[in-house]
Amino acid sequence: MSLDIPTRIICISGFTQTYARPTGIEKLWMKLRQFENPECRVSMLVWDSNWEAFAEHCFRTANGSRKDFRTLVCAYSWGVGYGFLSLAEEFKKRGLDIPYAVLCDGVYHSGWFPWRAVVSPFWAPKLEIPSNVGEVWWLRQFQNKPAGHPVVAKDPAATKIHDADLLSVHHAWCDESDLFHDRSLKAAEALLAK
């Protein structure tokens, strides 16, 4: 049995979500744990985790293997606009790819003006996906603010972005969506079949 962890499934929560209360991300994490084994770790992290340290941990525990490393990230709200995008950039620095991502009502986050994307009527941000991400499914809603921002590839030749699935629930309930959970489970199956 290998001691390395070449496969990661990572769930990232949204703003105000902590380990202290139940969330849709926690429910999804519980469902995804069925795929956990010694070579596949299923993790749940908060949106503003130390992504540099976590990326280094993932790289190190995969024994520095870029060739066999594979990841699925399932994220929600600022877990997309800050957590996922930060993690993807940190992975890219280490030569690590993210074959699949499932992003739910992702909201842009700026360290300088964190609420600008939510309240500004003059600026419509986009979530730019780094080129080390292979394929992205995303879901959004228009029921209330904050509402998910458009997802675009920095390099369309490297990243396939599927059309958005529309959710008919308020932002606070998007991470509970059966569609989000189903897409995530299917992506996990595809990741492990690679």
Side-chain angles (χ1 to χ4, degrees):
M1 176 177 73
S2 170
L3 297 178
D4 300 337
I5 307 170
T7 305
R8 294 276 179 166
I9 298 173
I10 301 164
C11 297
I12 306 174
S13 68
F15 181 61
T16 76
Q17 294 184 330
T18 70
Y19 298 113
R21 294 179 314 191
T23 65
I25 284 291
E26 183 180 74
K27 289 177 187 173
L28 175 60
W29 170 70
M30 293 292 287
K31 292 175 185 177
L32 288 166
R33 287 182 59 243
Q34 68 182 291
F35 300 107
E36 193 161 54
N37 63 58
E39 294 185 352
C40 177
R41 172 74 57 212
V42 181
S43 304
M44 184 180 80
L45 292 105
V46 294
W47 70 275
D48 61 348
S49 294
N50 182 334
W51 298 112
E52 180 182 17
F54 183 68
E56 189 61 29
H57 167 73
C58 291
F59 179 72
R60 188 176 58 254
T61 57
N63 197 23
S65 173
R66 294 177 185 92
K67 181 181 173 194
D68 297 329
F69 188 82
R70 57 192 177 178
T71 305
L72 161 67
V73 177
C74 305
Y76 162 65
S77 190
W78 273 0
V80 177
Y82 181 80
F84 167 67
L85 294 180
S86 299
L87 179 61
E89 290 294 348
E90 291 297 334
F91 273 9
K92 189 173 184 181
K93 290 176 189 175
R94 291 159 178 81
L96 301 176
D97 291 331
I98 300 173
Y100 303 121
V102 182
L103 310 177
C104 185
D105 218 31
V107 176
Y108 177 86
H109 179 273
S110 163
W112 296 102
F113 304 104
W115 295 105
R116 182 177 175 196
V118 177
V119 298
S120 176
F122 307 108
W123 183 62
K126 293 180 180 164
L127 302 173
E128 294 186 59
I129 307 302
S131 60
N132 62 324
V133 179
E135 195 167 354
V136 176
W137 292 267
W138 62 296
L139 306 89
R140 70 185 304 192
Q141 57 82 30
F142 294 103
Q143 305 293 312
N144 73 325
K145 297 261 185 203
H149 294 115
V151 173
V152 297
K154 284 186 181 178
D155 179 358
T159 305
K160 178 179 181 176
I161 308 282
H162 292 273
D163 291 336
D165 289 306
L166 292 180
L167 299 173
S168 58
V169 296
H170 282 205
H171 178 76
W173 301 107
C174 287
D175 64 326
E176 301 271 354
S177 161
D178 288 337
L179 184 56
F180 174 44
H181 290 203
D182 291 345
R183 287 248 186 274
S184 298
L185 290 165
K186 286 179 182 160
E189 290 169 0
L191 181 77
L192 294 173
K194 275 191 154 205

